[in-house]
Amino acid sequence: MNIQAAEATTPLLTISGARATIRLNRPAVHNRIEPADLVKLGEHFAAVEANPEIRVLVLTGTGKSFSSGYHLGDMAERPNADVTARADAPSFEGVADQLERLRVPTICRLNGGVYGGSTDLALCCDFRIGVDTAEMFMPAARLGLHYYPSGMIRYVSRLGLNAAKKLFLTAEKIQAAEMLAIGYLTEMVPAAELDARVDALADRLAAMAPLAVQGVKRSLNEIARQEFDVEGAIARAKASQASEDLQEGLRAFREKRAPVFKGR
């Protein structure tokens, strides 16, 4: 029996201090995402959202690839399945949107290639650190598929219209250097440096004032979607001004030491 296939599971959640890690775990099929994985991802995202101790989430994959995207066999078997979010069952779009809207900052640890719908999962994260051997492509047009709305919005708002058109309309595969150039990758590193760089960024994010980080993240995502709630942003700004964390930050600045934020 193939050992990798025997070890395949739905995504795994681990928590260490203020950091949560979700790992896609079907390495024999390049971490293909199946219907059961959508359910489990939704559960994991909800658990992260509900845990006030968590300040950063890392999303990654087992093996040589980040993810080969959604299971095409399921799409073939269910041609009438909803392509967009629905209230009574998870959809790929719904789970992706849930990831984008998480209160905590998120890092996608791109340990290898990323394809199809999983390119959007990575775009849902706030940062994407990838190995210099990574590659990506969006095969929707080659498969005859019109993509779901929020995924196209993310592509255009994060990468720009020209890059989105190239990736969607040509289904052309691009390499890590171009992924970095168009803004898909936040950083590109050799494989040997991937964990250290992800750890450093996760530690830095976890050390920031959580109320400020989470509030600003929400506001920036609203702006990107052209859904900016100005009154909500003002309320979050006022709450940060009245927070214990701001007082701690100011004291630490005066005392020339690292602040210790409590999230209140």
Side-chain angles (χ1 to χ4, degrees), residues 42 129 218:
I129 301 179
R218 179 173 175 177

Side-chain angles (χ1 to χ4, degrees), residues 91-179:
S91 68
F92 198 99
E93 180 182 34
V95 171
D97 290 347
Q98 186 182 4
L99 171 59
E100 182 188 41
R101 287 180 165 85
L102 284 180
R103 60 179 176 79
V104 300
T106 52
I107 304 168
C108 186
R109 174 187 176 274
L110 282 161
N111 52 300
V114 54
Y115 313 103
S118 292
T119 64
D120 187 39
L121 277 185
L123 274 179
C124 291
C125 294
D126 302 307
F127 303 91
R128 289 163 298 283
I129 301 179
V131 294
D132 55 12
T133 56
E135 62 182 20
M136 70 172 288
F137 79 102
M138 168 50 72
R142 195 169 76 185
L143 297 172
L145 178 69
H146 187 294
Y147 214 64
Y148 54 81
S150 67
M152 292 187 291
I153 291 172
R154 269 185 290 272
Y155 258 77
V156 173
S157 64
R158 285 149 178 74
L159 307 179
L161 181 59
N162 290 338
K165 283 184 175 180
K166 176 181 178 179
L167 291 164
F168 270 109
L169 303 185
T170 70
E172 179 181 336
K173 183 181 294 185
I174 65 171
Q175 305 301 314
E178 186 171 356
M179 293 165 68

Side-chain angles (χ1 to χ4, degrees), residues 195-261:
D195 285 333
R197 187 62 198 114
V198 170
D199 290 347
L201 179 57
D203 289 346
R204 184 175 184 84
L205 291 169
M208 296 294 163
L211 295 180
V213 166
Q214 294 164 21
V216 170
K217 168 183 170 169
R218 179 173 175 177
S219 293
L220 292 175
N221 278 346
E222 288 176 352
I223 292 168
R225 293 193 301 268
Q226 298 185 348
E227 299 172 357
F228 189 31
D229 177 3
V230 176
E231 291 184 0
I234 292 173
R236 292 189 288 274
K238 288 182 177 179
S240 74
Q241 288 179 307
S243 69
E244 294 179 23
D245 277 354
L246 177 61
Q247 296 305 312
E248 164 62 10
L250 294 173
R251 282 194 302 271
F253 181 79
R254 290 194 300 268
E255 296 167 8
K256 299 181 179 180
R257 60 172 175 84
V260 179
F261 295 116

